[in-house]
Amino acid sequence: MENNWIVAKFGGSSVRDAQAMLRCCQIIENNPKIKVVVISATQNTTNQLETVSKTAQVGDGMGLELVVNEIINKHIYIARELFTSPAVLLELEVLCGELKALGALILKDRLCSPATMDELNSLGERMSSLLFADLLRLRIPKKIVQLLDARKIIKTNSDFQKAEPQIELIAKNCESQILPTINDETLFVTQGFIGSDSEDCTTTLGREGSDYSATLIGEGVSASLVQIWTDVTGIASCDPRLVDEVKFIKTISYDEATALASLGAKVLFPSTLLPTKRKNIPVFVGSSLYPDRGGTLITQEHDCAFSLKAISLLENKDGAFVSFVGTHIDKKNDLKNILLSYLGADCFQFTKVNIHSITFKIDQSKLEKSLAIKKAHLALSKFI
Ligand code: ASP
Ligand code: MG
């Protein structure tokens, strides 16, 4: 029999406050196929944890206290609004104590090693998942909600802050800790982003890495679908923050979505689709604010003919680059010149082409990049 299990990941904006968490809870309640829930830190908390480290390292005791209190108060406020149980409030207090202690340690040493940073960063996901699991217990009493420490599942190497997952160990852990009860009324809740190395030291997969955690677990349990719930209704023809008139994409292939992510689109963490591609598991990206508006489904399927779907903007030390992403791009006759005729050859310079993308460098002395991206989207609109 085919597995019919969904792993659902909720990003920081989706769990930013009590109302947002309630919306995620409703999505889970409405879909009994969701068996594993992966939670990010609440919005901006990971940034604040980085500020904890920075203020402490420079000896700014006041700044440190301020940001530590902000993080603690934010979570206590959510807990109050959600009627979090007294036992879980005590657990939250323990995590707040850990946060203060780590801050004090960094302040004393004026030093935060990558390992300490990962330990500190893990608090964001550990706090949000603790509160979210308790909410699920309250709202879906027929389920047995089990909060799993992701560090017991996501084993990684010791490359702190950008740790590499160990696929076979993760598969084994999923098999022993999740699969035996996945068909019962158990609902697993775990943290995105964090893992642990062979010494059980906390590691993280890199900023925005929770998507990757979800697909790694999806692979480990052979899920039928991984859902990534965020604040946009799927993958768009361009980042909606850069261009107004974007079009949302209904279906896209793993390779196209990976090209987009690695060429600068912020919608997915770049390694996200590797595990699901290995096991041919579709990935859905949708908005937890508007779950009924649909989203993007990412699958193995490719268009058989040339097509363009989206553009992305990448900035690095070599400049700003705009890429057009799609399929069979290298087969389309004269595409480079056709695109340049729309873009203006004076402001854009061709850099590379392959099967899923064609990239141009923006001459920023002639054209501001915000205008360049609008122009590129206009060029894309001739094809979509
Ligand atoms: N909380 C982490 C971050 O903000 C991971 C994630 O949200 O994906 O980078
Ligand atoms: Mg995030």
Side-chain angles (χ1 to χ4, degrees):
M1 202 185 73
E2 280 239 327
N3 297 338
N4 216 351
W5 309 318
I6 296 175
V7 174
K9 177 249 165 175
F10 295 90
S13 55
S14 296
V15 293
R16 67 171 176 270
D17 54 29
Q19 283 307 318
M21 284 197 186
L22 280 164
R23 280 194 292 271
C24 299
C25 192
Q26 193 64 54
I27 291 174
I28 297 165
E29 201 173 346
N30 289 349
N31 192 342
K33 290 183 196 161
I34 296 177
K35 300 291 188 177
V36 185
V37 175
V38 177
I39 298 288
S40 281
T42 55
Q43 191 166 39
N44 204 32
T45 299
T46 313
N47 294 335
Q48 288 175 308
L49 289 165
E50 286 184 348
T51 305
V52 167
S53 159
K54 279 186 202 134
T55 48
Q57 283 183 80
V58 298
D60 176 7
M62 293 250 282
L64 171 64
E65 197 181 320
L66 198 74
V67 67
V68 164
N69 285 335
E70 272 172 18
I71 298 171
I72 293 176
N73 291 339
K74 168 164 63 177
H75 288 87
I76 290 182
Y77 186 77
I78 295 177
R80 269 207 207 113
E81 295 231 295
L82 293 178
F83 301 102
T84 298
S85 65
V88 168
L89 279 178
L90 282 179
E91 285 182 65
L92 181 63
E93 240 174 68
V94 172
L95 294 180
C96 294
E98 254 182 66
L99 170 59
K100 285 184 190 157
L102 274 171
L105 182 78
I106 302 166
L107 185 69
K108 177 168 89 41
D109 295 345
R110 299 283 196 275
L111 188 79
C112 181
S113 68
T116 305
M117 191 64 233
D118 277 353
E119 192 62 46
L120 184 59
N121 263 343
S122 76
L123 286 163
E125 269 70 10
R126 286 158 66 206
M127 286 185 181
S128 61
S129 58
L130 181 68
L131 297 180
F132 194 74
D134 197 57
L135 173 66
L136 286 174
R137 273 183 210 113
L138 195 72
R139 302 286 296 208
I140 321 181
K142 63 176 187 289
K143 293 273 185 187
I144 304 155
V145 178
Q146 194 181 327
L147 180 58
L148 264 182
D149 190 327
R151 294 170 297 181
K152 299 216 162 79
I153 306 276
I154 305 288
K155 296 308 285 189
T156 69
N157 68 6
S158 303
D159 207 356
F160 297 101
Q161 306 212 260
K162 47 176 181 334
E164 267 305 313
Q166 317 267 283
I167 309 304
E168 275 165 27
L169 290 177
I170 294 170
K172 258 196 201 149
N173 292 336
C174 286
E175 200 175 311
S176 61
Q177 297 176 57
I178 301 180
L179 286 180
T181 48
I182 202 166
N183 275 326
D184 306 347
E185 286 304 295
T186 307
L187 186 55
F188 293 95
V189 179
T190 192
Q191 305 83 24
F193 183 45
I194 70 173
S196 72
D197 70 2
S198 56
E199 309 272 291
D200 293 333
C201 292
T202 302
T203 56
T204 63
L205 304 177
R207 289 300 310 269
E208 304 301 330
S210 294
D211 297 343
Y212 196 18
S213 305
T215 54
L216 285 164
I217 293 175
E219 178 183 36
V221 302
S222 297
S224 53
L225 178 70
V226 174
Q227 296 175 330
I228 306 224
W229 293 100
T230 172
D231 56 358
V232 284
T233 45
I235 300 179
S237 54
C238 182
D239 185 336
R241 282 163 297 198
L242 303 176
V243 171
D244 293 332
E245 305 281 302
V246 299
K247 234 171 108 177
F248 283 91
I249 299 168
K250 285 278 152 231
T251 58
I252 189 169
S253 68
Y254 296 127
D255 294 339
E256 289 167 313
T258 300
L260 262 182
S262 49
L263 291 166
K266 304 247 159 35
V267 64
L268 283 180
F269 182 77
S271 317
T272 302
L273 299 171
L274 297 175
T276 42
K277 189 180 173 188
R278 284 193 289 264
K279 278 230 171 141
N280 199 5
I281 301 168
V283 176
F284 169 85
V285 182
S287 161
S288 62
L289 200 52
Y290 306 109
D292 300 330
R293 289 195 188 165
T296 302
L297 194 66
I298 311 168
T299 67
Q300 194 82 60
E301 303 296 314
H302 273 296
D303 296 329
C304 350
F306 160 78
S307 71
L308 287 183
K309 294 215 167 72
I311 55 170
S312 62
L313 176 71
L314 181 72
E315 292 179 82
N316 59 28
K317 61 175 188 350
D318 299 322
F321 299 85
V322 53
S323 297
F324 293 75
V325 170
T327 289
H328 297 302
I329 291 191
D330 50 348
K331 303 262 171 57
K332 171 84 177 166
N333 268 342
D334 214 28
L335 179 64
K336 175 179 114 185
N337 291 324
I338 298 172
L339 284 173
L340 277 176
S341 74
Y342 295 133
L343 293 169
D346 46 335
C347 303
F348 291 83
Q349 185 197 346
F350 166 76
T351 42
K352 64 173 194 275
V353 64
N354 61 42
I355 159 170
H356 294 297
S357 63
I358 180 165
T359 301
F360 299 87
K361 184 172 180 182
I362 303 166
D363 184 343
Q364 293 181 85
S365 67
K366 300 207 181 104
L367 189 64
E368 247 184 67
K369 64 175 192 282
S370 65
L371 280 176
I373 192 82
K374 289 191 174 75
K375 223 169 173 184
H377 195 258
L378 211 58
L380 176 78
S381 65
K382 318 264 186 202
F383 294 88
I384 59 175

